[in-house]
Amino acid sequence: MVRQCEHCGERRQALRRPKTGHKVCRECFFQLLEDEVHETITQNQLFKKGERVAMAASGGKDSTVLAHILSELNTRHDYGLDLFLLSIDEGISGYRDDSLETVKRNEVQYGIPLKVLSYKELYGWTMDEIVKEIGRKNNCTFCGVFRRQALDRGAALMKADKMATGHNADDMAETILLNLLRGDIARLSRCTAIMTGEEGALPRCKPFKYTYEKEIVMYAYFKKLDYFSTECIYSPNAYRGYARDFIKDLEAIRPRAIVDIIKSGEDFRISSTARMPVQGVCSRCGYISSQKLCKACVLLDGLNRGLPRLGISRTRGIKSTNGVADIDEKSAVAGAVGNGFSKKLSLEF
Amino acid sequence: GGLELLFGSVKCHEVELDSNEITVEKLLVWIRENLLKERQEMFLKGKSVRPGVLVLINDYDWELMGHLEAPIKDKDSVVFISTLHGG
């Protein structure tokens, strides 16, 4: 049975919005989604006029739609932002090289300049080389840690004031669940913040925090936006996959579960007796860290010294909070001196 | 959304089914038996698609038409989009 849009009453219903259950036509869907993202941006004061903003772009669905919507809203509502695309090449053949082609097309399509930074130039290792060294487990640990730093370095190089990422509501719900499952209280307390990093590091925000993944994909499909869509070849073993499957099953039964999980996450209060790490800086590269050495330095050191488990597994008999024992840290610091890593890029954090 | 990799990397398939009145449910059974080349669990779960796969009939959300019971007529186009990948 054909029904009219519940918003405008004129055009035919095209989809059912998961967050609200509303059945709306295509045009109303575009408008509602764009308005909601605008609401999220203004209510949470994500941007200030004149800011230079790096949009983390991978060529995937979220970052492509982010680039499209943010540049659209920037014009429509006069945010006055200086936008550019920032992409990281992790060196994953057959995955990243293809998706980078998509970002290069985005650069042309949206008229936004693009900067690409690679793991190879930053760290001396591609993900392909890393996986060859460490095997198929814990790949996402390396990649995630390195990419986070790579984005910060890239944004600093390009003199950005802020970064925007395409993390969506589904991602947010997965992360909350993931941290819960792992007992990672520190991350649990931070992960729902819509903007992070104002304490010294480059602030990064998530305009899509309340936007459902289904809607991002439908938006891209109906608007015929060009994006790359294959699973990273190294990801099937990632723990996040379990959280994702669970969230997807939940969404099928009760779509509101996703925003409700986010709400729960936002309202968690950490017990005052929980041991929380204190933020400092890495003694080697100056990046923010709660340990003497930041995770990237530890992982990289492990790679360069042929100790792929450094920073991944706990050493027996020695107390540690982060899977990195004190003794390992000392030897890592000692080994760092002659290693040349600190010469890579002379950026202060 | 990358699903074509399960179907011999062919994105668009023109198919002919034996009956005139089919639902999405029946179509999925047919696909499983005739088209799905590998890794069934990436596309199907139980009687339906794997959660995270969107279904459109003539570019309309199948959730508007009864999910698995949604009817499919002659010359209709059915699109499956996977959301299960990096963004």
Side-chain angles (χ1 to χ4, degrees):
Chain A
M1 180 159 345
V2 176
R3 292 214 169 85
Q4 304 321 104
C5 169
E6 288 173 5
H7 189 76
C8 69
E10 289 169 10
R11 292 170 287 254
R12 183 178 159 175
Q13 291 175 356
L15 80 154
R16 184 179 168 281
R17 301 195 67 199
K19 203 190 305 191
T20 56
H22 279 162
K23 300 173 182 177
V24 294
C25 68
R26 214 165 295 173
E27 289 76 9
C28 287
F29 167 55
F30 295 152
Q31 189 204 309
L32 288 167
L33 187 66
E34 289 161 7
D35 286 349
E36 277 170 22
V37 176
H38 174 60
E39 271 285 296
T40 302
I41 289 173
T42 48
Q43 267 183 12
N44 294 281
Q45 292 158 352
L46 296 187
F47 302 117
K48 289 202 269 288
K49 221 175 184 109
E51 273 182 332
R52 192 162 150 72
V53 178
M55 294 188 291
S58 62
K61 57 187 179 1
D62 304 310
S63 51
T64 297
V65 176
L66 179 71
H68 179 94
I69 289 189
L70 200 49
S71 56
E72 171 68 36
L73 294 179
N74 191 29
T75 312
R76 187 186 299 171
H77 296 284
D78 196 27
Y79 292 164
L81 303 174
D82 177 15
L83 299 171
F84 70 97
L85 295 165
L86 178 61
S87 235
I88 304 298
D89 181 3
E90 303 98 337
I92 302 176
S93 32
Y95 176 67
R96 191 50 82 210
D97 35 11
D98 287 343
S99 76
L100 281 178
E101 288 309 306
T102 307
V103 199
K104 291 189 189 134
R105 283 200 295 276
N106 291 160
E107 180 184 19
V108 174
Q109 286 155 353
Y110 305 137
I112 306 176
L114 165 67
K115 169 76 185 162
V116 183
L117 226 58
S118 72
Y119 278 8
K120 191 71 187 178
E121 64 190 307
L122 277 175
Y123 306 116
W125 289 78
T126 63
M127 265 317 285
D128 286 341
E129 290 165 356
I130 291 174
V131 175
K132 251 198 233 79
E133 180 79 15
I134 65 173
R136 285 304 198 106
K137 248 194 139 184
N138 299 311
N139 303 152
C140 296
T141 300
F142 279 79
C143 198
V145 170
F146 286 163
R147 184 167 54 252
R148 172 174 285 262
Q149 242 205 42
L151 282 171
D152 278 344
R153 288 184 188 270
L157 253 175
M158 299 297 290
K159 311 239 185 304
D161 301 305
K162 195 163 282 178
M163 181 164 12
T165 57
H167 291 97
N168 58 51
D170 299 52
D171 293 329
M172 192 61 86
E174 281 165 26
T175 302
I176 293 166
L177 204 56
L178 205 58
N179 291 331
L180 197 70
L181 292 172
R182 286 168 156 171
D184 194 332
I185 308 302
R187 286 197 171 85
L188 198 55
S189 64
R190 298 191 301 253
C191 68
T192 47
I194 193 171
M195 181 128 70
T196 53
E198 281 133 329
E199 336 76 30
L202 193 78
R204 46 170 78 189
C205 64
K206 306 176 165 80
F208 284 165
K209 179 183 175 189
Y210 301 105
T211 310
Y212 274 63
E213 194 164 62
K214 168 182 172 177
E215 302 207 324
I216 289 175
V217 174
M218 294 300 261
Y219 187 91
Y221 177 73
F222 286 139
K223 288 241 172 192
K224 303 203 190 317
L225 299 182
D226 181 14
Y227 70 86
F228 181 75
S229 56
T230 308
E231 266 224 273
C232 176
I233 46 181
Y234 298 132
S235 72
N237 298 321
Y239 195 63
R240 180 177 283 266
Y242 298 107
R244 174 172 302 157
D245 283 344
F246 183 56
I247 297 280
K248 285 293 146 191
D249 284 339
L250 274 179
E251 187 191 8
I253 303 168
R254 191 173 158 272
R256 271 206 68 85
I258 290 178
V259 279
D260 288 343
I261 290 176
I262 297 176
K263 178 90 179 51
S264 302
E266 285 169 343
D267 289 342
F268 281 157
R269 289 294 169 263
I270 306 301
S271 127
S272 50
T273 52
R275 228 179 113 208
M276 297 286 273
V278 175
Q279 188 191 299
V281 289
C282 174
S283 57
R284 191 194 302 178
C285 74
Y287 194 62
I288 64 169
S289 171
S290 60
Q291 311 293 316
K292 263 197 287 270
L293 283 185
C294 75
K295 195 76 171 179
C297 282
V298 173
L299 291 176
L300 195 58
D301 209 53
L303 283 174
N304 289 331
R305 289 164 58 202
L307 297 170
R309 301 295 293 169
L310 199 62
I312 302 286
S313 50
R314 293 174 189 279
T315 314
R316 258 196 298 271
I318 297 164
K319 238 199 264 193
S320 65
T321 49
N322 198 20
V324 179
D326 286 337
I327 287 189
D328 272 334
E329 265 181 42
K330 289 201 183 87
S331 63
V333 173
V337 177
N339 163 324
F341 170 63
S342 50
K343 296 192 204 132
K344 271 284 180 298
L345 281 176
S346 52
L347 286 175
E348 246 96 59
F349 276 102
Chain B
L3 281 177
E4 61 273 17
L5 295 173
L6 305 174
F7 296 91
S9 292
V10 178
K11 266 196 166 161
C12 194
H13 298 255
E14 262 188 54
V15 299
E16 229 176 279
L17 274 64
D18 285 331
S19 144
N20 277 329
E21 296 284 313
I22 54 162
T23 59
V24 177
E25 184 174 350
K26 296 208 182 87
L27 178 65
L28 290 178
V29 171
W30 188 92
I31 289 176
R32 181 192 312 171
E33 285 165 10
N34 295 279
L35 274 184
L36 197 50
K37 303 266 193 253
E38 55 187 275
R39 289 178 292 160
Q40 292 208 346
E41 71 284 359
M42 302 294 281
F43 180 61
L44 297 166
K45 185 167 174 170
K47 284 198 298 185
S48 184
V49 289
R50 182 182 173 183
V53 175
L54 308 176
V55 186
L56 297 167
I57 302 170
N58 298 325
D59 277 1
Y60 293 103
D61 189 353
W62 73 330
E63 290 189 40
L64 298 172
M65 298 183 248
H67 273 101
L68 287 170
E69 306 303 308
I72 301 176
K73 304 179 311 296
D74 195 29
K75 306 267 189 296
D76 275 355
S77 89
V78 183
V79 177
F80 298 97
I81 311 178
S82 170
T83 65
L84 303 162
H85 52 80

